[in-house]
PDB file of all heavy atoms in Angstrom:
ATOM      1  N   PRO A 223       6.718   3.427  22.487  1.00 96.00           N
ATOM      2  CA  PRO A 223       5.545   4.305  22.378  1.00 96.00           C
ATOM      3  C   PRO A 223       5.205   4.653  20.929  1.00 96.00           C
ATOM      4  O   PRO A 223       6.023   4.459  20.025  1.00 96.00           O
ATOM      5  CB  PRO A 223       5.979   5.588  23.100  1.00 96.00           C
ATOM      6  CG  PRO A 223       7.289   5.312  23.725  1.00 96.00           C
ATOM      7  CD  PRO A 223       7.870   4.096  23.104  1.00 96.00           C
ATOM      8  N   SER A 224       3.994   5.166  20.728  1.00 98.00           N
ATOM      9  CA  SER A 224       3.570   5.571  19.381  1.00 98.00           C
ATOM     10  C   SER A 224       2.316   6.437  19.471  1.00 98.00           C
ATOM     11  O   SER A 224       1.444   6.181  20.289  1.00 98.00           O
ATOM     12  CB  SER A 224       3.264   4.334  18.546  1.00 98.00           C
ATOM     13  OG  SER A 224       2.616   4.693  17.352  1.00 98.00           O
ATOM     14  N   LEU A 225       2.229   7.433  18.610  1.00 98.00           N
ATOM     15  CA  LEU A 225       0.967   8.144  18.408  1.00 98.00           C
ATOM     16  C   LEU A 225       0.431   7.764  17.025  1.00 98.00           C
ATOM     17  O   LEU A 225      -0.588   7.099  16.878  1.00 98.00           O
ATOM     18  CB  LEU A 225       1.171   9.674  18.493  1.00 98.00           C
ATOM     19  CG  LEU A 225      -0.038  10.497  18.065  1.00 98.00           C
ATOM     20  CD1 LEU A 225      -1.214  10.301  19.000  1.00 98.00           C
ATOM     21  CD2 LEU A 225       0.319  11.985  17.977  1.00 98.00           C
ATOM     22  N   ARG A 226       1.173   8.166  15.979  1.00 98.00           N
ATOM     23  CA  ARG A 226       0.715   8.007  14.601  1.00 98.00           C
ATOM     24  C   ARG A 226       0.495   6.547  14.205  1.00 98.00           C
ATOM     25  O   ARG A 226      -0.546   6.183  13.644  1.00 98.00           O
ATOM     26  CB  ARG A 226       1.721   8.645  13.622  1.00 98.00           C
ATOM     27  CG  ARG A 226       1.612  10.155  13.517  1.00 98.00           C
ATOM     28  CD  ARG A 226       2.967  10.783  13.320  1.00 98.00           C
ATOM     29  NE  ARG A 226       3.721  10.643  14.548  1.00 98.00           N
ATOM     30  CZ  ARG A 226       3.678  11.543  15.556  1.00 98.00           C
ATOM     31  NH1 ARG A 226       2.988  12.626  15.423  1.00 98.00           N
ATOM     32  NH2 ARG A 226       4.352  11.360  16.677  1.00 98.00           N
ATOM     33  N   THR A 227       1.476   5.714  14.484  1.00 98.00           N
ATOM     34  CA  THR A 227       1.397   4.333  13.987  1.00 98.00           C
ATOM     35  C   THR A 227       0.252   3.584  14.655  1.00 98.00           C
ATOM     36  O   THR A 227      -0.535   2.905  13.999  1.00 98.00           O
ATOM     37  CB  THR A 227       2.750   3.626  14.233  1.00 98.00           C
ATOM     38  OG1 THR A 227       3.765   4.442  13.659  1.00 98.00           O
ATOM     39  CG2 THR A 227       2.781   2.256  13.600  1.00 98.00           C
ATOM     40  N   ARG A 228       0.138   3.769  15.969  1.00 98.00           N
ATOM     41  CA  ARG A 228      -0.925   3.072  16.677  1.00 98.00           C
ATOM     42  C   ARG A 228      -2.302   3.551  16.209  1.00 98.00           C
ATOM     43  O   ARG A 228      -3.175   2.747  15.880  1.00 98.00           O
ATOM     44  CB  ARG A 228      -0.774   3.288  18.189  1.00 98.00           C
ATOM     45  CG  ARG A 228      -1.745   2.421  18.947  1.00 98.00           C
ATOM     46  CD  ARG A 228      -2.518   3.178  19.971  1.00 98.00           C
ATOM     47  NE  ARG A 228      -3.717   2.449  20.341  1.00 98.00           N
ATOM     48  CZ  ARG A 228      -4.128   2.304  21.584  1.00 98.00           C
ATOM     49  NH1 ARG A 228      -3.437   2.798  22.562  1.00 98.00           N
ATOM     50  NH2 ARG A 228      -5.264   1.694  21.822  1.00 98.00           N
ATOM     51  N   ARG A 275       5.921  -3.141  16.505  1.00 98.00           N
ATOM     52  CA  ARG A 275       6.945  -2.090  16.692  1.00 98.00           C
ATOM     53  C   ARG A 275       7.907  -2.611  17.747  1.00 98.00           C
ATOM     54  O   ARG A 275       7.513  -2.830  18.898  1.00 98.00           O
ATOM     55  CB  ARG A 275       6.290  -0.782  17.134  1.00 98.00           C
ATOM     56  CG  ARG A 275       7.298   0.210  17.655  1.00 98.00           C
ATOM     57  CD  ARG A 275       6.764   1.609  17.768  1.00 98.00           C
ATOM     58  NE  ARG A 275       6.619   2.210  16.455  1.00 98.00           N
ATOM     59  CZ  ARG A 275       6.413   3.518  16.255  1.00 98.00           C
ATOM     60  NH1 ARG A 275       6.336   4.340  17.280  1.00 98.00           N
ATOM     61  NH2 ARG A 275       6.292   3.986  15.047  1.00 98.00           N
ATOM     62  N   ALA A 296       6.288  -2.243  12.022  1.00 98.00           N
ATOM     63  CA  ALA A 296       5.791  -0.889  12.292  1.00 98.00           C
ATOM     64  C   ALA A 296       6.868  -0.038  12.963  1.00 98.00           C
ATOM     65  O   ALA A 296       6.566   0.899  13.665  1.00 98.00           O
ATOM     66  CB  ALA A 296       4.556  -0.959  13.173  1.00 98.00           C
ATOM     67  N   LEU A 297       8.108  -0.366  12.732  1.00 98.00           N
ATOM     68  CA  LEU A 297       9.346   0.292  13.171  1.00 98.00           C
ATOM     69  C   LEU A 297      10.194  -0.691  13.970  1.00 98.00           C
ATOM     70  O   LEU A 297       9.722  -1.316  14.921  1.00 98.00           O
ATOM     71  CB  LEU A 297       9.073   1.544  14.038  1.00 98.00           C
ATOM     72  CG  LEU A 297      10.299   2.359  14.502  1.00 98.00           C
ATOM     73  CD1 LEU A 297       9.981   3.846  14.590  1.00 98.00           C
ATOM     74  CD2 LEU A 297      10.818   1.853  15.839  1.00 98.00           C
ATOM     75  N   HIS A 302      11.740   1.484   9.016  1.00 98.00           N
ATOM     76  CA  HIS A 302      10.365   1.937   9.291  1.00 98.00           C
ATOM     77  C   HIS A 302       9.644   2.004   7.932  1.00 98.00           C
ATOM     78  O   HIS A 302       9.355   3.077   7.407  1.00 98.00           O
ATOM     79  CB  HIS A 302      10.424   3.312   9.971  1.00 98.00           C
ATOM     80  CG  HIS A 302       9.153   3.724  10.643  1.00 98.00           C
ATOM     81  ND1 HIS A 302       8.000   2.965  10.616  1.00 98.00           N
ATOM     82  CD2 HIS A 302       8.841   4.836  11.370  1.00 98.00           C
ATOM     83  CE1 HIS A 302       7.057   3.593  11.298  1.00 98.00           C
ATOM     84  NE2 HIS A 302       7.531   4.721  11.769  1.00 98.00           N
ATOM     85  N   GLN A 305       6.349   4.031   7.306  1.00 99.00           N
ATOM     86  CA  GLN A 305       6.608   5.470   7.293  1.00 99.00           C
ATOM     87  C   GLN A 305       7.129   5.907   5.923  1.00 99.00           C
ATOM     88  O   GLN A 305       6.640   6.870   5.334  1.00 99.00           O
ATOM     89  CB  GLN A 305       7.659   5.792   8.375  1.00 99.00           C
ATOM     90  CG  GLN A 305       8.058   7.254   8.433  1.00 99.00           C
ATOM     91  CD  GLN A 305       6.926   8.130   8.945  1.00 99.00           C
ATOM     92  OE1 GLN A 305       6.347   7.847   9.975  1.00 99.00           O
ATOM     93  NE2 GLN A 305       6.591   9.183   8.208  1.00 99.00           N
ATOM     94  N   MET A 402      14.063   6.238  19.647  1.00 98.00           N
ATOM     95  CA  MET A 402      13.598   5.482  20.818  1.00 98.00           C
ATOM     96  C   MET A 402      14.573   4.322  21.061  1.00 98.00           C
ATOM     97  O   MET A 402      14.949   3.623  20.122  1.00 98.00           O
ATOM     98  CB  MET A 402      12.192   4.943  20.556  1.00 98.00           C
ATOM     99  CG  MET A 402      11.150   6.034  20.478  1.00 98.00           C
ATOM    100  SD  MET A 402       9.492   5.394  20.144  1.00 98.00           S
ATOM    101  CE  MET A 402       9.514   5.204  18.363  1.00 98.00           C
ATOM    102  N   CYS A 437       9.018  12.579   9.946  1.00 98.00           N
ATOM    103  CA  CYS A 437       8.123  11.465  10.304  1.00 98.00           C
ATOM    104  C   CYS A 437       7.312  11.784  11.554  1.00 98.00           C
ATOM    105  O   CYS A 437       6.236  11.216  11.738  1.00 98.00           O
ATOM    106  CB  CYS A 437       8.932  10.188  10.489  1.00 98.00           C
ATOM    107  SG  CYS A 437      10.248  10.361  11.698  1.00 98.00           S
ATOM    108  N   LEU A 438       7.827  12.684  12.405  1.00 98.00           N
ATOM    109  CA  LEU A 438       7.210  13.063  13.682  1.00 98.00           C
ATOM    110  C   LEU A 438       7.252  11.879  14.647  1.00 98.00           C
ATOM    111  O   LEU A 438       7.170  10.756  14.194  1.00 98.00           O
ATOM    112  CB  LEU A 438       5.777  13.583  13.507  1.00 98.00           C
ATOM    113  CG  LEU A 438       5.605  14.732  12.491  1.00 98.00           C
ATOM    114  CD1 LEU A 438       4.127  15.132  12.410  1.00 98.00           C
ATOM    115  CD2 LEU A 438       6.466  15.939  12.854  1.00 98.00           C
ATOM    116  N   PRO A 439       7.379  12.043  15.932  1.00 98.00           N
ATOM    117  CA  PRO A 439       7.338  13.336  16.608  1.00 98.00           C
ATOM    118  C   PRO A 439       8.593  14.161  16.348  1.00 98.00           C
ATOM    119  O   PRO A 439       9.693  13.608  16.225  1.00 98.00           O
ATOM    120  CB  PRO A 439       7.271  12.941  18.089  1.00 98.00           C
ATOM    121  CG  PRO A 439       7.924  11.594  18.160  1.00 98.00           C
ATOM    122  CD  PRO A 439       7.614  10.916  16.860  1.00 98.00           C
ATOM    123  N   ARG A 465      -0.286   8.589   6.571  1.00 98.00           N
ATOM    124  CA  ARG A 465      -0.015   7.328   7.266  1.00 98.00           C
ATOM    125  C   ARG A 465      -1.294   6.484   7.306  1.00 98.00           C
ATOM    126  O   ARG A 465      -1.251   5.281   7.110  1.00 98.00           O
ATOM    127  CB  ARG A 465       0.466   7.585   8.712  1.00 98.00           C
ATOM    128  CG  ARG A 465       1.821   8.234   8.873  1.00 98.00           C
ATOM    129  CD  ARG A 465       2.975   7.367   8.442  1.00 98.00           C
ATOM    130  NE  ARG A 465       3.005   6.043   9.032  1.00 98.00           N
ATOM    131  CZ  ARG A 465       3.510   5.729  10.226  1.00 98.00           C
ATOM    132  NH1 ARG A 465       4.074   6.663  10.969  1.00 98.00           N
ATOM    133  NH2 ARG A 465       3.500   4.473  10.662  1.00 98.00           N
TER     134      ARG A 465
HETATM  135  N1   CP B 501       6.132   8.534  12.735  1.00 75.47           N
HETATM  136  C1   CP B 501       5.739   7.632  13.626  1.00 75.47           C
HETATM  137  O1   CP B 501       5.929   6.413  13.465  1.00 75.47           O
HETATM  138  O2   CP B 501       5.100   8.156  14.701  1.00 75.47           O
HETATM  139  P1   CP B 501       4.765   7.386  16.057  1.00 75.47           P
HETATM  140  O3   CP B 501       6.073   7.019  16.700  1.00 75.47           O
HETATM  141  O4   CP B 501       3.977   8.360  16.871  1.00 75.47           O
HETATM  142  O5   CP B 501       3.992   6.168  15.714  1.00 75.47           O
END
Side-chain angles (χ1 to χ4, degrees):
S224 169
L225 170 65
R226 281 145 290 272
T227 307
R228 188 229 161 136
R275 166 165 287 193
L297 183 147
H302 196 357
Q305 178 69 51
M402 292 179 277
C437 56
L438 307 179
R465 292 292 308 276

